[in-house]
Amino acid sequence: MIRVETSTAGSFLKEGSYGQALKKAEESFKQLQDKTGKGPEWLGWRDTVAQPDDALLEEIDSLAASVRQSADIFIVCGIGGSYLGSKAVIEALGPELLPGKPEILYAGHNMSGRYLEELLTYISRPKEDGTPKQVYLNVISKSGTTIETALAFRVLRKWIHTAYGDRATEHIICTTSAEGGALNKIIRANGYRKFVLPDNIGGRFSVLTPVGLLPIAVAGIDIRTLFYGAVAAYQLLEKSPEMVLSYAATRFALYGQGYRIDVFTSFEPHLKSFGGWMQQLMGESEGKNGKGLFPVLLGYSTDLHSVGQMVQDGHRNIIETFLVVNTAVQKLRIEAEADDHDGLNYLQGRSFHDINTKAFEGTREAHTRGGVPPFTVVFDELNAQSVGQAIYFFELATAVYVYCLGENPFDQPGVEDYKKEMYRLLGKPV
Ligand code: PA5
């Protein structure tokens, strides 16, 4: 099981505040278990791991295997919870699991014409042997109406139909709700293959459904091990929730003490997108009614040279959450040089993993001394099982923490406001 260390962050708490926060976290967890908290109709993400659907895993796996046989490029077309989870897992576990084929690309997560044109140019360019690239498209939208995704899908769908004619439907896979939404109309009209995201699971809690699992499986990652990692975490945390309660309670107590920013960071670039998934999961779940810790994604040591000064020495309202991998997967070591002009011979024989680990430990120590409470999330090994565990841990921790705030973790009413203004400016018919 991954480990989440909370004791150093806890040392920043005022006398008595942890006890109160822990009580609140215990009540929140009970509400989640009894389905008596806010948004009980959105708890399907717990049901999926409580009762694994092996037939669905098999269906996803066998489709992914056949796509992998012929695809050069697999485009994931979606935004927010519809793509961040799969991207997080694929980047955490690739590229050693991705022997270059298929290449996973993303669309529908922005409305940049430049981006989309470049994507079209890239997929249209033949392979080195002169043959055309085989492109598959997975459009993912629970509502089936999100404009970023819908616009990109319109353009990419046309490209696929032009490129593959009668066989175009074999290249398009859709993931959406059982009923409703424009996407369902398009699916019916064209006969595209469809996976269903159940109504009781929100986008940012959907990585362990076909939303995340199909792209992850196409990337060559073992989705059973990933999924059952989450199942194992569920089973453990239902009986012994101490780790999740301690994390949620400490975070909640720090929030009560005036901390307002949570920096998610790792010294492992492969985990940056996992931090991005956490950022969306927590940001969209807790930022309500003037409350919440603002989640910020940073990548160390890169960003120590951009905002490290601010973290060390700026306004003291920052918490830091480090994602750490204990086991090295690379063998690169520092070799001695006869002249030692760069003065690095003192590191001779040491691995990059070892050096990077010291950079993490030193940074955590310095930031802690500078007044930044640190949480440390430890993956003994970064593999499908531990990533599955971490996914469930953070889904649960987010729900418990947001219940502590007294909010509904599963809605996102604030996201509608920008859409209203954008549609008004675009002249969308009402
Ligand atoms: O977490 C969420 O619910 C959101 O981030 C959605 O995933 C995002 O807005 C995309 O919505 P949809 O899947 O309906 O296109």
Side-chain angles (χ1 to χ4, degrees):
M1 184 65 187
I2 59 153
R3 277 171 292 121
V4 181
E5 292 167 4
T6 60
S7 55
T8 315
S11 69
F12 283 75
L13 294 177
K14 291 190 187 126
E15 183 89 27
S17 69
Y18 180 71
Q20 282 171 15
L22 184 61
K23 203 161 166 284
K24 192 100 181 145
E26 283 165 354
E27 284 163 15
S28 298
F29 183 53
K30 185 91 181 42
Q31 286 181 322
L32 205 62
Q33 289 184 308
D34 299 345
K35 301 195 175 188
T36 52
K38 290 187 175 169
E41 68 279 23
W42 292 95
L43 294 176
W45 53 277
R46 280 171 52 78
D47 303 336
T48 51
V49 285
Q51 285 147 354
D53 183 345
D54 290 320
L56 179 63
L57 292 178
E58 178 55 41
E59 188 189 344
I60 294 171
D61 233 2
S62 81
L63 175 63
S66 81
V67 169
R68 277 173 64 73
Q69 278 204 335
S70 45
D72 297 300
I73 290 177
F74 186 80
I75 302 174
V76 179
C77 182
I79 196 166
S82 289
Y83 90 108
L84 285 166
S86 58
K87 188 165 189 284
V89 176
I90 291 167
E91 290 183 15
L93 301 177
E96 68 270 26
L97 296 163
L98 297 170
K101 186 177 173 297
E103 189 177 354
I104 310 291
L105 299 175
Y106 299 90
H109 57 319
N110 62 51
M111 286 191 283
S112 160
R114 179 175 169 182
Y115 181 92
L116 202 53
E117 257 181 16
E118 277 181 22
L119 182 63
L120 291 173
T121 304
Y122 182 69
I123 62 178
S124 304
R125 201 175 281 159
K127 293 190 276 187
E128 273 180 14
D129 64 7
T131 59
K133 286 179 183 136
Q134 291 298 311
V135 178
Y136 286 72
L137 177 62
N138 182 196
V139 60
I140 307 166
S141 177
K142 182 174 182 189
S143 62
T145 55
T146 303
I147 187 166
E148 289 88 345
T149 305
L151 280 177
F153 184 44
R154 183 183 270 218
V155 172
L156 292 167
R157 190 164 80 239
K158 184 173 171 210
W159 188 95
I160 297 246
H161 278 267
T162 308
Y164 304 114
D166 290 349
R167 305 197 64 185
T169 52
E170 291 168 26
H171 289 253
I172 296 178
I173 306 152
C174 307
T175 309
T176 187
S177 301
E179 308 282 344
L183 183 53
N184 268 314
K185 279 192 208 155
I186 299 173
I187 294 169
R188 275 195 299 275
N190 291 277
Y192 297 140
R193 178 148 187 184
K194 168 176 159 179
F195 283 97
V196 171
L197 172 58
D199 285 343
N200 61 358
I201 305 180
R204 59 191 174 276
F205 287 83
S206 70
V207 53
L208 298 172
T209 72
V211 167
L213 293 175
L214 179 62
I216 293 168
V218 170
I221 292 162
D222 177 354
I223 55 167
R224 259 188 215 82
T225 306
L226 178 85
F227 191 89
Y228 274 91
V231 171
Y234 166 81
Q235 288 169 348
L236 179 81
L237 294 169
E238 281 306 285
K239 284 203 206 103
S240 314
E242 294 77 17
M243 194 165 73
V244 92
L245 296 180
S246 147
Y247 174 73
T250 309
R251 208 167 178 264
F252 178 58
L254 288 167
Y255 174 72
Q257 262 175 235
Y259 290 90
R260 288 294 175 266
I261 294 170
D262 195 348
V263 167
F264 300 132
T265 189
S266 179
F267 282 73
E268 176 47 69
H270 279 281
L271 280 173
K272 185 146 189 198
S273 287
F274 197 85
W277 171 77
M278 287 167 61
Q279 181 185 40
Q280 194 238 352
L281 177 68
M282 298 204 178
E284 223 167 67
S285 300
E286 69 177 285
K288 284 157 202 172
N289 294 313
K291 298 180 199 163
L293 283 156
F294 190 92
V296 173
L297 175 64
L298 296 180
Y300 288 168
S301 54
T302 317
D303 287 325
L304 291 176
H305 298 259
S306 65
V307 290
Q309 173 64 36
M310 177 63 102
V311 177
Q312 182 71 46
D313 227 5
H315 189 54
R316 297 298 73 194
N317 63 353
I318 304 173
I319 294 169
E320 219 167 12
T321 304
F322 293 96
L323 303 175
V324 177
V325 185
N326 267 348
T327 315
V329 290
Q330 48 77 38
K331 299 191 175 64
L332 211 54
R333 286 180 184 274
I334 307 299
E335 291 174 11
E337 281 184 359
D339 50 30
D340 195 25
H341 284 319
D342 55 13
L344 291 173
N345 272 2
Y346 76 101
L347 294 172
Q348 181 198 342
R350 296 182 77 168
S351 71
F352 272 82
H353 176 79
D354 177 26
I355 295 167
N356 209 18
T357 301
K358 294 291 171 262
F360 149 64
E361 288 169 357
T363 304
R364 184 177 57 179
E365 209 171 299
H367 288 182
T368 303
R369 240 184 289 123
V372 181
F375 292 107
T376 309
V377 180
V378 184
F379 296 79
D380 279 329
E381 277 182 40
L382 193 58
N383 54 34
Q385 191 186 24
S386 63
V387 171
Q389 292 169 354
I391 288 171
Y392 183 73
F393 176 87
F394 280 106
E395 288 180 344
L396 182 62
T398 300
V400 171
Y401 170 78
V402 180
Y403 274 180
C404 290
L405 290 177
E407 297 298 330
N408 180 351
F410 310 115
D411 62 2
Q412 55 281 330
V415 182
E416 293 311 309
D417 290 4
Y418 98 88
K419 293 184 190 168
K420 267 188 223 141
E421 293 307 319
M422 173 179 66
Y423 287 137
R424 181 179 59 74
L425 292 170
L426 288 170
K428 184 181 178 186
V430 274

